[in-house]
Amino acid sequence: MRRKHGMTPDRVRRPTPPAAARRPRGVDVRPFPSNRRLVIAAVRAGRHMAAMHSLVDLDVTTARILLERSTQPASFTAFIVASVARAAAAHPQVHAYRNWRGRLVRHRHVDVNTLVEVTTPQGLFTLPHVLHDADIRDVRDLTAELRAAKRDYATTDTGRLLDRFGTTMTRLPGVVPTMYAVLARSVRLRRLTGTVAVTAVGMFGAGGGFGIAPPSLMPLQVVIGGATQRPRVVDERIEVRDVLDLTITFDHNVIDGAPAARFVAELRHIIENAEVMRAPAVGTSDGRTTGTTE
């Protein structure tokens, strides 16, 4: 460094930091929320899953139009839940799992476990809520249940369990991991907790994008990502359409790529044609559901 006016480098004056940089520094140490311990245990419980991801973008223009024209409240999340459930009912192998004896279990119904952000005494928490028989229910009906759970989470089964046992369970070593280990194999408990998970993260950010959720107990997971307007080819001409990014995760332990691809194709058809907004699902004798369009 060059000397200036006889000053040595050690005596060169440094610029004075702005006032904002001289603010008091420190940290806050608070108890770790017990409800977050439940989330950590759920993520660890999913480590046995051999995750196989499928990233797809879907044209949801028709669905958007029908949702806006609906005379009753109908949320986009409920639309995706109903569509995923309808496709899973047609392809039950995508949400199959193994029981205690190692046998493959397939459900004749589709119960979707989705997350609802609620306010608890410990702050905001994403509460798991199970939408039973989602494959044969109306989008408006699912919307009403989701909004009721958000208004008062204590009215839901998981909300009552969280208030009553959440803090206690997380304080007892080994209780929560054991609970999830039982959930992973118990057919009876699966009927209560569901086998399909749908998570909506796109609503919390702007623009497109895929979300990759950590594996959980659910053999079929769907993450609703961002939605943007993009050019698509429609009837041999380019149009600007509403396009949704969707991440679908399968358990490769119980399903291979070919049946997973057929499920994705079925789901694409259901969503892009907004079939669940046109007519309710109709149950068949083998437990599967089909949909009719106008």
Side-chain angles (χ1 to χ4, degrees):
M1 179 183 295
R2 288 172 46 184
R3 298 184 181 182
K4 187 175 182 180
H5 302 298
M7 298 179 64
T8 63
D10 294 337
R11 298 180 60 185
V12 174
R13 298 184 62 182
R14 302 181 184 278
T16 303
R22 299 197 301 269
R23 69 190 186 279
R25 292 167 58 84
V27 298
D28 292 328
V29 180
R30 301 178 180 179
F32 193 75
S34 60
N35 52 29
R36 295 305 307 170
R37 299 181 190 275
L38 294 173
V39 176
I40 293 173
V43 173
R44 290 177 177 173
R47 290 177 178 175
H48 71 283
M49 179 179 180
M52 179 171 56
H53 304 290
S54 177
L55 308 180
V56 296
D57 56 350
L58 306 173
D59 187 339
V60 293
T61 306
T62 301
R64 293 282 196 191
I65 293 173
L66 293 178
L67 287 169
E68 291 174 359
R69 292 177 180 177
S70 176
T71 57
Q72 298 178 357
S75 75
F76 188 73
T77 299
F79 164 75
I80 297 297
V81 167
S83 300
V84 170
R86 189 81 62 86
H91 301 267
Q93 66 272 25
V94 299
H95 64 122
Y97 59 94
R98 300 178 69 184
N99 63 8
W100 292 107
R101 302 177 65 180
R103 295 179 176 179
L104 197 64
V105 180
R106 292 186 182 183
H107 285 230
R108 295 180 179 177
H109 56 275
V110 182
D111 296 334
V112 177
N113 191 314
T114 189
L115 299 177
V116 180
E117 190 176 51
V118 299
T119 302
T120 71
Q122 299 184 43
L124 293 176
F125 179 66
T126 49
L127 180 75
H129 179 68
V130 182
L131 296 165
H132 294 283
D133 297 310
D135 54 318
I136 58 173
R137 293 175 61 185
D138 184 80
V139 175
R140 300 166 186 84
D141 183 32
L142 296 174
T143 299
E145 183 172 338
L146 287 174
R147 294 185 177 180
K150 188 172 182 63
R151 282 195 305 268
D152 186 3
Y153 76 94
T155 61
T156 67
D157 293 336
T158 50
R160 286 190 289 268
L161 288 173
L162 179 66
D163 282 345
R164 189 172 182 181
F165 302 110
T167 303
T168 303
M169 286 192 305
T170 56
R171 289 178 178 175
L172 298 176
V175 172
V176 175
T178 301
M179 176 188 71
Y180 280 109
V182 174
L183 285 174
R185 299 291 185 178
S186 173
V187 177
R188 178 175 297 180
L189 291 179
R190 287 282 189 161
R191 292 174 180 173
L192 301 176
T193 60
T195 55
V196 179
V198 175
T199 305
V201 298
M203 66 179 66
F204 300 109
F210 296 94
I212 307 293
S216 69
L217 292 177
M218 304 302 170
L220 174 63
Q221 298 177 220
V222 177
V223 178
I224 307 172
T228 55
Q229 289 191 324
R230 305 173 204 172
R232 302 287 286 240
V233 177
V234 180
D235 295 331
E236 299 184 352
R237 63 178 184 272
I238 297 177
E239 295 183 4
V240 176
R241 308 284 287 183
D242 294 326
V243 178
L244 172 71
D245 294 325
L246 210 65
T247 305
I248 308 170
T249 302
F250 305 92
D251 188 355
H252 208 349
N253 290 316
V254 296
I255 188 173
D256 291 324
R262 288 191 288 269
F263 167 82
V264 173
E266 177 90 8
L267 181 60
R268 178 184 295 276
H269 175 79
I270 292 174
I271 289 179
E272 293 193 337
N273 290 280
E275 288 193 354
V276 296
M277 292 296 297
R278 301 176 185 272
V282 179
T284 61
S285 59
D286 60 356
R288 293 175 51 183
T289 57
T290 60
T292 59
T293 58
E294 294 176 338

